[in-house]
Amino acid sequence: MNQHKRIEILKRLQAAIPEPTTELQYASVFELLIAVILSAQATDKGVNKATAKLFPIANTPQAIYDLGVDGLKEYIKTIGLYNSKAENIIKTCRMLLDKHNGEVPEDRAALEALPGVGRKTANVVLNTAFGHPTIAVDTHIFRVCNRTKFAEGKNVLEVEKKLNKVVPDEFKIDVHHLLILHGRYTCIARKPRCGSCVISDLCEFPDKNID
């Protein structure tokens, strides 16, 4: 795919999705961090249901730490991998209290040092909470980038590197959410909705589903 086509794709997605942002519900950087940790292999809708009960009770590192692993599990047991997520979140809260004065650090290395926080989670927090031009690649973005040929790669890191190379600076803040929302609602996994897609004529997917 050539760069002219990529820029046109981004312009059309930006016009179609004028306010691209996460669908996770949060009211602070810490709440966002917890929601993103919980969202691994889970839906945003499922996470929002759990955090709607959790955050009114505990939405600071100290408050969640005080719940303990078992107490936290009661709030997140509807989410996949809740046992390991509860343990990681309690450890993360302890580390935030001990090393960062209870604040979420605006630093990739410090974020990735937190239990349960990998590169993707760090990218989401840096982008969504702090406005860094980082690009997190999840399953939706990986699929969209490879299917359309926008930024092909064999794994998420390859796709992330390619996106950082080909996405112009003015789109880097929003491209993560533009692609994830496009993948979630239009370029869906099993049967992409090519007939209603705003970039179908630019997409290089050979098996378009035009109905």
Side-chain angles (χ1 to χ4, degrees):
M1 179 174 286
N2 64 50
Q3 192 65 357
H4 175 77
K5 195 181 280 190
R6 287 191 184 97
I7 292 171
E8 182 60 28
I9 284 173
L10 292 170
K11 285 180 177 177
R12 288 193 197 176
L13 290 177
Q14 203 169 50
I17 311 168
E19 294 184 11
T21 189
T22 181
E23 293 186 312
L24 291 169
Q25 294 169 0
Y26 68 98
S28 68
V29 179
F30 176 71
E31 285 188 6
L32 175 65
L33 173 66
I34 298 305
V36 179
I37 292 173
L38 291 173
S39 72
Q41 297 181 48
T43 66
D44 286 2
K45 189 175 180 181
V47 172
N48 288 337
K49 278 187 177 179
T51 56
K53 295 176 182 177
L54 171 64
F55 289 158
I57 303 299
N59 68 343
T60 66
Q62 187 66 59
I64 288 184
Y65 183 78
D66 288 344
L67 288 176
V69 173
D70 291 337
L72 179 57
K73 283 181 186 179
E74 286 302 307
Y75 290 96
I76 66 170
K77 60 187 178 185
T78 54
I79 297 173
L81 307 175
Y82 74 93
N83 284 310
S84 59
K85 288 176 182 177
E87 291 182 10
N88 281 332
I89 286 171
I90 293 299
K91 289 176 185 174
T92 280
C93 288
R94 185 71 261 164
M95 193 176 288
L96 289 175
L97 291 165
D98 290 345
K99 295 189 175 182
H100 303 287
N101 297 314
E103 299 293 325
V104 177
E106 188 178 345
D107 174 80
R108 174 185 297 285
L111 283 168
E112 289 188 23
L114 298 171
V117 176
R119 184 177 182 84
K120 188 190 84 171
T121 297
N123 277 338
V124 172
V125 172
L126 288 169
N127 176 273
T128 306
F130 296 116
H132 290 221
T134 52
I135 304 173
V137 178
D138 72 344
T139 53
H140 292 298
I141 296 174
F142 183 77
R143 178 178 67 254
V144 169
C145 287
N146 278 290
R147 182 184 273 165
T148 61
K149 310 291 192 257
F150 187 94
E152 295 177 274
K154 293 175 184 173
N155 54 55
V156 293
L157 187 56
E158 280 188 16
V159 170
E160 181 189 331
K161 287 179 178 178
K162 185 72 178 286
L163 284 170
N164 275 307
K165 184 178 178 182
V166 302
V167 173
D169 288 346
E170 64 264 31
F171 293 103
K172 278 186 177 168
I173 288 290
D174 289 337
V175 70
H176 163 75
H177 292 116
L178 289 173
L179 292 173
I180 199 171
L181 291 168
H182 184 65
R184 186 172 289 163
Y185 295 109
T186 302
C187 196
I188 57 178
R190 292 193 177 181
K191 197 175 182 183
R193 296 168 178 147
C194 304
S196 60
C197 177
V198 296
I199 62 166
S200 60
D201 59 317
L202 301 169
C203 168
E204 296 181 5
F205 181 48
D207 302 313
K208 290 189 180 111
N209 173 42
I210 308 289
D211 292 326

